[in-house]
Protein backbone atom coordinates (compact mmCIF):
# COMPACT_ATOMS: atom_id res chain seq x y z
CA UNK A 1 0.00 0.00 0.00
CA UNK A 2 1.49 3.35 -0.93
CA UNK A 3 1.25 6.46 1.23
CA UNK A 4 -1.49 8.01 -0.79
CA UNK A 5 -3.77 5.02 -0.39
CA UNK A 6 -2.89 4.78 3.27
CA UNK A 7 -3.78 8.42 3.79
CA UNK A 8 -7.13 8.01 2.02
CA UNK A 9 -7.80 4.94 4.11
CA UNK A 10 -7.02 6.73 7.39
CA UNK A 11 -9.19 9.73 6.51
CA UNK A 12 -12.07 7.40 5.64
CA UNK A 13 -11.72 5.59 8.97
CA UNK A 14 -11.61 8.89 10.82
CA UNK A 15 -14.74 10.21 9.10
CA UNK A 16 -16.62 6.97 9.77
CA UNK A 17 -15.55 7.10 13.40
CA UNK A 18 -16.92 10.62 13.73
CA UNK A 19 -20.43 9.68 12.64
CA UNK A 20 -21.36 7.91 15.90
CA UNK A 21 -19.85 10.82 17.83
CA UNK A 22 -22.37 13.20 16.27
CA UNK A 23 -25.14 10.76 17.16
CA UNK A 24 -24.08 10.59 20.78
CA UNK A 25 -27.54 11.24 22.21
CA UNK A 26 -29.13 8.68 19.97
CA UNK A 27 -26.94 5.82 21.12
CA UNK A 28 -29.27 3.27 22.61
CA UNK A 29 -29.92 3.75 26.27
CA UNK A 30 -28.79 0.37 27.65
CA UNK A 31 -25.32 0.92 26.19
CA UNK A 32 -25.21 4.43 27.57
CA UNK A 33 -26.32 3.19 30.97
CA UNK A 34 -23.65 0.54 30.95
CA UNK A 35 -20.97 3.11 30.10
CA UNK A 36 -22.16 5.53 32.75
CA UNK A 37 -22.22 2.95 35.53
CA UNK A 38 -23.46 4.47 38.77
CA UNK A 39 -25.41 7.16 36.95
CA UNK A 40 -28.02 4.76 35.76
CA UNK A 41 -31.56 4.82 37.02
CA UNK A 42 -34.71 3.00 35.91
CA UNK A 43 -37.03 5.57 34.26
CA UNK A 44 -40.09 3.40 34.86
CA UNK A 45 -39.76 3.21 38.63
CA UNK A 46 -38.61 6.76 39.45
CA UNK A 47 -41.78 7.50 41.43
CA UNK A 48 -41.69 4.21 43.34
CA UNK A 49 -38.28 4.06 44.98
CA UNK A 50 -34.87 5.64 45.13
CA UNK A 51 -33.43 9.10 44.87
CA UNK A 52 -36.14 10.60 42.63
CA UNK A 53 -39.30 9.76 44.58
CA UNK A 54 -41.61 12.75 44.82
CA UNK A 55 -40.85 14.01 48.32
CA UNK A 56 -37.12 13.84 47.66
CA UNK A 57 -37.37 16.30 44.77
CA UNK A 58 -36.48 19.97 45.04
CA UNK A 59 -33.82 21.74 47.07
CA UNK A 60 -31.99 20.06 49.92
CA UNK A 61 -29.30 21.61 52.08
CA UNK A 62 -26.15 19.53 52.38
CA UNK A 63 -24.09 19.27 55.58
CA UNK A 64 -21.30 21.41 54.05
CA UNK A 65 -23.71 24.29 53.37
CA UNK A 66 -24.04 23.71 49.64
CA UNK A 67 -27.37 22.64 48.21
CA UNK A 68 -28.52 19.77 46.02
CA UNK A 69 -31.46 20.11 43.67
CA UNK A 70 -33.17 16.98 42.39
CA UNK A 71 -35.59 17.13 39.46
CA UNK A 72 -37.41 14.86 37.05
CA UNK A 73 -38.09 15.90 33.46
CA UNK A 74 -41.15 14.38 31.87
CA UNK A 75 -43.49 15.14 28.99
CA UNK A 76 -44.25 18.03 29.43
CA UNK A 77 -43.00 19.49 32.64
CA UNK A 78 -40.07 19.65 34.98
CA UNK A 79 -40.86 18.45 38.49
CA UNK A 80 -40.87 20.41 40.74
CA UNK A 81 -42.25 23.34 38.80
CA UNK A 82 -40.50 25.86 41.01
CA UNK A 83 -37.08 25.54 42.59
CA UNK A 84 -35.74 27.80 45.35
CA UNK A 85 -32.00 28.12 45.92
CA UNK A 86 -29.84 30.51 47.94
CA UNK A 87 -27.61 33.09 46.22
CA UNK A 88 -23.84 32.69 46.28
CA UNK A 89 -23.78 29.03 47.23
CA UNK A 90 -22.81 26.07 45.01
CA UNK A 91 -25.86 24.24 43.69
CA UNK A 92 -25.50 20.61 42.63
CA UNK A 93 -28.21 19.72 40.15
CA UNK A 94 -29.21 16.10 39.69
CA UNK A 95 -31.87 15.43 37.10
CA UNK A 96 -33.20 12.49 35.12
CA UNK A 97 -35.96 11.91 32.60
CA UNK A 98 -39.02 9.72 32.92
CA UNK A 99 -39.48 9.47 29.16
CA UNK A 100 -37.92 11.40 26.28
CA UNK A 101 -34.74 13.41 25.91
CA UNK A 102 -35.14 16.92 27.31
CA UNK A 103 -32.82 19.86 27.85
CA UNK A 104 -33.11 22.05 30.92
CA UNK A 105 -31.91 25.59 30.30
CA UNK A 106 -31.89 28.78 32.33
CA UNK A 107 -32.86 31.93 30.46
CA UNK A 108 -30.21 34.60 30.74
CA UNK A 109 -27.44 32.12 31.54
CA UNK A 110 -25.26 29.66 29.63
CA UNK A 111 -26.49 26.74 31.67
CA UNK A 112 -27.96 23.88 29.65
CA UNK A 113 -28.35 20.34 30.90
CA UNK A 114 -29.25 17.48 28.59
CA UNK A 115 -31.59 15.06 30.33
CA UNK A 116 -31.86 11.45 29.21
CA UNK A 117 -34.06 8.62 30.43
CA UNK A 118 -32.06 5.99 32.29
CA UNK A 119 -29.23 8.25 33.38
CA UNK A 120 -28.69 10.96 35.96
CA UNK A 121 -27.35 14.22 34.55
CA UNK A 122 -25.35 16.35 36.94
CA UNK A 123 -24.41 20.02 36.78
CA UNK A 124 -22.80 22.54 39.11
CA UNK A 125 -24.59 25.86 39.17
CA UNK A 126 -24.10 29.05 41.11
CA UNK A 127 -26.06 32.29 41.22
CA UNK A 128 -24.30 35.34 42.64
CA UNK A 129 -27.46 37.43 43.03
CA UNK A 130 -31.10 36.91 43.95
CA UNK A 131 -33.42 36.73 40.98
CA UNK A 132 -35.86 34.65 39.02
CA UNK A 133 -35.14 32.53 36.00
CA UNK A 134 -37.38 30.73 33.57
CA UNK A 135 -36.22 27.19 32.89
CA UNK A 136 -37.54 26.14 29.47
CA UNK A 137 -36.90 22.83 27.75
CA UNK A 138 -34.73 23.36 24.68
CA UNK A 139 -34.80 19.85 23.23
CA UNK A 140 -37.82 19.06 21.07
CA UNK A 141 -39.58 16.35 23.06
CA UNK A 142 -43.07 16.17 21.59
CA UNK A 143 -46.34 18.06 21.17
CA UNK A 144 -46.10 19.91 24.49
CA UNK A 145 -42.44 20.84 24.18
CA UNK A 146 -42.98 24.57 23.73
CA UNK A 147 -44.91 24.84 26.99
CA UNK A 148 -42.44 22.80 29.02
CA UNK A 149 -40.83 25.05 31.59
CA UNK A 150 -40.17 25.54 35.28
CA UNK A 151 -38.94 28.42 37.36
CA UNK A 152 -35.93 28.92 39.53
CA UNK A 153 -35.99 31.45 42.32
CA UNK A 154 -32.71 32.62 43.84
CA UNK A 155 -33.23 34.11 47.30
CA UNK A 156 -30.72 35.95 49.51
CA UNK A 157 -28.56 33.54 51.43
CA UNK A 158 -29.89 34.55 54.85
CA UNK A 159 -33.48 34.18 53.66
CA UNK A 160 -33.02 30.64 52.46
CA UNK A 161 -35.09 28.68 54.94
CA UNK A 162 -34.59 25.16 56.16
CA UNK A 163 -37.10 23.58 53.84
CA UNK A 164 -39.01 20.51 54.86
CA UNK A 165 -39.42 17.79 52.23
CA UNK A 166 -42.93 18.92 51.25
CA UNK A 167 -41.77 22.52 50.73
CA UNK A 168 -38.61 21.86 48.78
CA UNK A 169 -40.22 22.24 45.40
CA UNK A 170 -42.60 25.10 46.04
CA UNK A 171 -42.18 28.83 45.58
CA UNK A 172 -45.31 29.28 47.69
CA UNK A 173 -43.33 28.26 50.77
CA UNK A 174 -41.49 31.58 50.66
CU1 LIG B 1 -38.98 18.62 27.11
CU2 LIG B 1 -38.85 19.76 25.13
Amino acid sequence: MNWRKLRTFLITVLVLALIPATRYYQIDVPLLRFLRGSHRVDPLSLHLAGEFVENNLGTEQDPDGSVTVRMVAQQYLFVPQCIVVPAGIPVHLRITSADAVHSLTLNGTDYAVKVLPGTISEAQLQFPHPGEYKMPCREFCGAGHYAMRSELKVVPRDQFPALRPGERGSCAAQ
Side-chain angles (χ1 to χ4, degrees), residues 114-157:
K114 198 100 170 179
V115 190
L116 301 98
T119 64
I120 300 169
S121 299
E122 291 184 281
Q124 307 297 328
L125 318 174
Q126 190 151 341
F127 304 91
H129 310 293
E132 284 179 31
Y133 298 87
K134 298 274 183 225
M135 295 195 290
C137 177
R138 291 265 188 243
E139 177 82 26
F140 184 77
C141 54
H145 160 71
Y146 295 101
M148 180 167 172
R149 64 183 57 225
S150 278
E151 269 176 56
L152 181 105
K153 196 165 160 183
V154 183
V155 298
R157 195 172 171 157

Side-chain angles (χ1 to χ4, degrees), residues 28-157:
D28 76 315
V29 172
L31 175 65
L32 209 59
R33 259 191 247 172
F34 173 74
L35 293 173
R36 292 200 172 185
S38 64
H39 284 125
R40 73 184 131 157
V41 60
D42 179 5
L44 295 178
S45 61
L46 290 178
H47 59 295
L48 297 176
E51 181 179 346
F52 293 94
V53 294
E54 192 174 356
N55 69 1
N56 207 33
L57 299 179
T59 310
E60 181 181 26
Q61 192 129 34
D62 300 323
D64 67 356
S66 63
V67 300
T68 296
V69 170
R70 289 187 184 81
M71 297 181 80
V72 172
Q74 61 189 64
Q75 289 161 321
Y76 296 100
L77 52 105
F78 293 106
V79 186
Q81 289 253 267
C82 183
I83 295 288
V84 181
V85 299
I89 286 179
V91 175
H92 316 293
L93 173 67
R94 292 173 65 79
I95 182 168
T96 188
S97 169
D99 40 49
V101 177
H102 304 274
S103 178
L104 179 79
T105 60
L106 283 138
N107 280 355
T109 76
D110 293 332
Y111 293 136
V113 183
K114 198 100 170 179
V115 190
L116 301 98
T119 64
I120 300 169
S121 299
E122 291 184 281
Q124 307 297 328
L125 318 174
Q126 190 151 341
F127 304 91
H129 310 293
E132 284 179 31
Y133 298 87
K134 298 274 183 225
M135 295 195 290
C137 177
R138 291 265 188 243
E139 177 82 26
F140 184 77
C141 54
H145 160 71
Y146 295 101
M148 180 167 172
R149 64 183 57 225
S150 278
E151 269 176 56
L152 181 105
K153 196 165 160 183
V154 183
V155 298
R157 195 172 171 157

